[in-house]
């Protein structure tokens, strides 16, 4: 019985290790932190970028953030380091293109916020955001840009 349990646990761990990375071609950039990927298997997968939150399209700087991401990875082959699934069923992960961490790049260039609520311990994202603020890059050209989570909350409250 114990050998069977060890075998099942080993197989489960193998499956988990294989399922943590997916590859494919970006077929749609929805906004500055969400893409649709055509996986090598032929499956279409929506991916939400881990640890960042980009301005909404209807928000100031939203289209610019979208355009920056499009120029970086639209129609390109990327690799996703899968972290989780969100409440909408999207994969949440770190996106890499030619070895570049695109999530981090979006923060470094002032095209997204560090989403602290979901990645508190990611010191690298925090440092990148502070540097972008100091250099007044991207959305940080404004003195006090509205974070997307505040924008969404305000939009929801205005509908009620």
């Amino acid at each position: 019985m114990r050998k069977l349990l060890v075998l099942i646990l080993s197989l489960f761990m193998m499956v988990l290790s294989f399922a943590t990375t997916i590859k494919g071609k970006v077929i749609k950039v929805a906004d500055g932190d969400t893409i649709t990927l055509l996986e090598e298997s032929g499956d279409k997968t929506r991916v939400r970028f881990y640890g960042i939150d980009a301005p909404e399209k209807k928000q100031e700087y939203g289209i610019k953030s979208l355009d920056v991401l499009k120029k970086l990875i639209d129609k390109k082959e990327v690799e996703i380091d899968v972290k989780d699934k969100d409440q909408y069923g999207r994969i949440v992960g770190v996106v890499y293109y030619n070895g570049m961490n695109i999530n981090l790049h979006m923060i470094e260039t002032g095209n997204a916020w560090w989403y602290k609520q979901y990645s508190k311990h990611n010191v690298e994202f925090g440092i990148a955001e502070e540097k972008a603020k100091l250099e007044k890059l991207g959305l940080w050209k404004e003195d006090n840009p509205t974070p997307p989570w505040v924008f969404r909350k305000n939009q929801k409250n205005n509908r009620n």
Side-chain angles (χ1 to χ4, degrees):
M1 182 67 177
R2 183 178 173 162
K3 284 183 181 181
L4 180 61
L5 184 60
V6 169
L7 178 63
I8 291 170
L9 186 59
S10 297
L11 288 171
F12 180 73
M13 294 305 286
M14 279 179 39
V15 168
L16 280 180
S17 67
F18 288 122
T20 58
T21 302
I22 57 175
K23 296 179 183 180
K25 183 178 182 176
V26 177
I27 58 173
K28 181 180 180 187
V29 178
D31 57 27
D33 58 27
T34 308
I35 60 174
T36 301
L37 189 70
L38 181 60
E39 291 186 54
E40 294 170 334
S41 65
D43 293 337
K44 290 181 182 177
T45 304
R46 285 194 40 99
V47 178
R48 173 73 167 80
F49 286 44
Y50 167 80
I52 76 170
D53 201 3
E56 298 295 326
K57 283 191 277 190
K58 293 182 179 180
Q59 184 178 356
E60 189 173 343
Y61 208 81
I63 297 300
K64 177 68 175 160
S65 177
L66 166 75
D67 288 344
V68 167
L69 188 58
K70 269 187 175 181
K71 286 178 185 163
L72 279 171
I73 63 172
D74 195 29
K75 309 295 185 245
K76 308 252 174 72
E77 297 289 329
V78 297
E79 187 172 306
I80 314 296
D81 178 13
V82 178
K83 298 291 187 188
D84 203 355
K85 265 197 172 182
D86 71 8
Q87 62 189 4
Y88 306 107
R90 298 175 297 191
I91 295 291
V92 176
V94 178
V95 179
Y96 292 93
Y97 172 65
N98 284 342
M100 179 195 299
N101 180 330
I102 301 300
N103 303 43
L104 179 60
H105 180 81
M106 291 296 284
I107 297 171
E108 288 174 330
T109 57
N111 289 290
W113 274 260
W114 170 33
Y115 209 175
K116 297 177 195 110
Q117 178 181 350
Y118 295 103
S119 61
K120 291 178 185 124
H121 304 293
N122 195 320
V123 176
E124 189 176 28
F125 284 5
I127 292 169
E129 183 177 88
E130 286 305 313
K131 188 170 185 245
K133 282 181 188 179
L134 287 171
E135 295 176 8
K136 296 199 174 286
L137 300 177
L139 59 91
W140 300 112
K141 289 175 185 167
E142 298 295 320
D143 288 333
N144 194 19
T146 303
W149 53 90
V150 172
F151 179 83
R152 288 189 295 268
K153 184 178 179 183
N154 290 342
Q155 293 293 303
K156 184 180 176 183
N157 289 340
N158 289 340
R159 284 189 295 249
N160 293 334

